[in-house]
């Protein structure tokens, strides 16, 4: 941040907001906060606001990208998304984990009585297209930045909680389980050594 400006990695920027109870009135009120008060169009380059009618669905849709790419780039030694994505095995692994997350998501949505579902094929196609752009920008996910800086990673909420929910709903997620387990080990080593560079 500098002089009220935010710097980002050259990828599309949007704020996704929702209501904990999926209340339509709350969604409308939140969206109004992001519109210019004079009713004009948002200025060029403004951060977009995208209302999420089902917050649980939105959280899972975000995890469908964050889980594979935050996790796999760490296990690839801190590689950026582009290096992972252009490697055939790296890409295949990321997409396979993406699919596991989507299947866990739909089971969780059903268990909580939420009507919408994630369309597996459509979401994989959409997220793959987004990843193509991120790869061009040599994007480094936040978890990977933490890893490279020797900070503890947010393993519990991003990786272990989806595994817990998948298990509770009887969804088989072997790759996700392996990913979460290895990241937990890496976290413990970072905590003990103070930096990933000191881990032996």
């Amino acid at each position: 941040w500098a002089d009220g400006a935010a710097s980002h990695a050259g990828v599309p920027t949007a704020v996704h907001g929702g209501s904990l109870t999926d209340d339509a009135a709350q969604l409308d009120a939140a969206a109004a906060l992001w519109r210019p008060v004079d009713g004009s169009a948002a200025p060029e380059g403004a951060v977009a606001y995208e209302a999420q009618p089902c917050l649980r669905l939105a959280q899972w849709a975000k995890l469908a990208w964050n889980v594979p790419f935050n996790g796999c780039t760490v296990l690839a030694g801190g590689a950026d998304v582009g290096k992972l994505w252009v490697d055939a095995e790296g890409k295949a692994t990321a997409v396979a984990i993406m699919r596991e997350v989507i299947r866990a998501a739909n089971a969780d949505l059903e268990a909580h009585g939420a009507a919408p579902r994630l369309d597996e094929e459509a979401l994989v196609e959409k997220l793959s297209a987004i990843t193509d752009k991120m790869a061009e920008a040599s994007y480094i996910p936040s978890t990977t930045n933490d890893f490279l800086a020797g900070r503890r990673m947010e393993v519990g909420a991003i990786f272990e909680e989806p595994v817990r929910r998948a298990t509770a709903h009887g969804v088989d997620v072997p790759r996700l389980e392996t990913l979460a387990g290895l990241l937990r080990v890496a976290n413990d080593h970072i905590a003990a050594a103070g930096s990933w560079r000191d881990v032996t």
Side-chain angles (χ1 to χ4, degrees):
W1 295 87
D3 298 325
S7 176
H8 61 87
V11 295
T13 303
V15 172
H16 293 185
S19 163
L20 291 175
T21 58
D22 296 334
D23 181 89
Q26 291 181 4
L27 289 169
D28 289 342
L33 295 174
W34 290 85
R35 290 193 290 267
V37 294
D38 61 2
S40 62
E44 184 179 354
V47 175
Y49 177 79
E50 298 179 8
Q52 306 297 312
C54 177
L55 192 57
R56 186 178 295 272
L57 181 82
Q59 290 170 329
W60 276 112
K62 182 175 175 61
L63 287 172
W65 193 92
N66 280 355
V67 168
F69 291 99
N70 280 258
C72 289
T73 51
V74 169
L75 296 186
D80 63 50
V81 168
K83 290 183 175 65
L84 179 77
W85 197 235
V86 299
D87 181 89
E89 290 187 8
K91 184 174 186 176
T93 299
V95 170
I97 294 171
M98 190 187 297
R99 291 184 180 279
E100 290 186 358
V101 173
I102 293 169
R103 291 165 192 165
N106 285 333
D108 190 54
L109 288 161
E110 181 178 3
H112 286 86
R117 298 289 185 271
L118 295 175
D119 183 319
E120 182 174 331
E121 296 307 323
L123 187 55
V124 168
E125 182 178 350
K126 176 183 177 181
L127 295 180
S128 294
I130 291 172
T131 307
D132 287 339
K133 296 184 182 300
M134 290 183 167
E136 294 172 2
S138 300
Y139 180 75
I140 299 177
S142 58
T143 302
T144 312
N145 276 318
D146 288 339
F147 170 71
L148 291 172
R151 296 186 294 263
R152 286 188 65 82
M153 299 173 287
E154 195 178 357
V155 173
I158 298 177
F159 304 98
E160 292 180 332
E161 180 60 17
V163 171
R164 187 191 69 77
R165 294 191 191 189
T167 301
H169 303 317
V171 179
D172 191 29
V173 288
R175 296 175 184 83
L176 179 52
E177 287 180 347
T178 300
L179 183 68
L182 291 173
L183 289 170
R184 179 187 55 76
V185 172
N187 240 6
D188 291 344
H189 276 276
I190 289 170
S195 168
W196 72 272
R197 296 178 180 84
D198 298 328
V199 174
T200 58

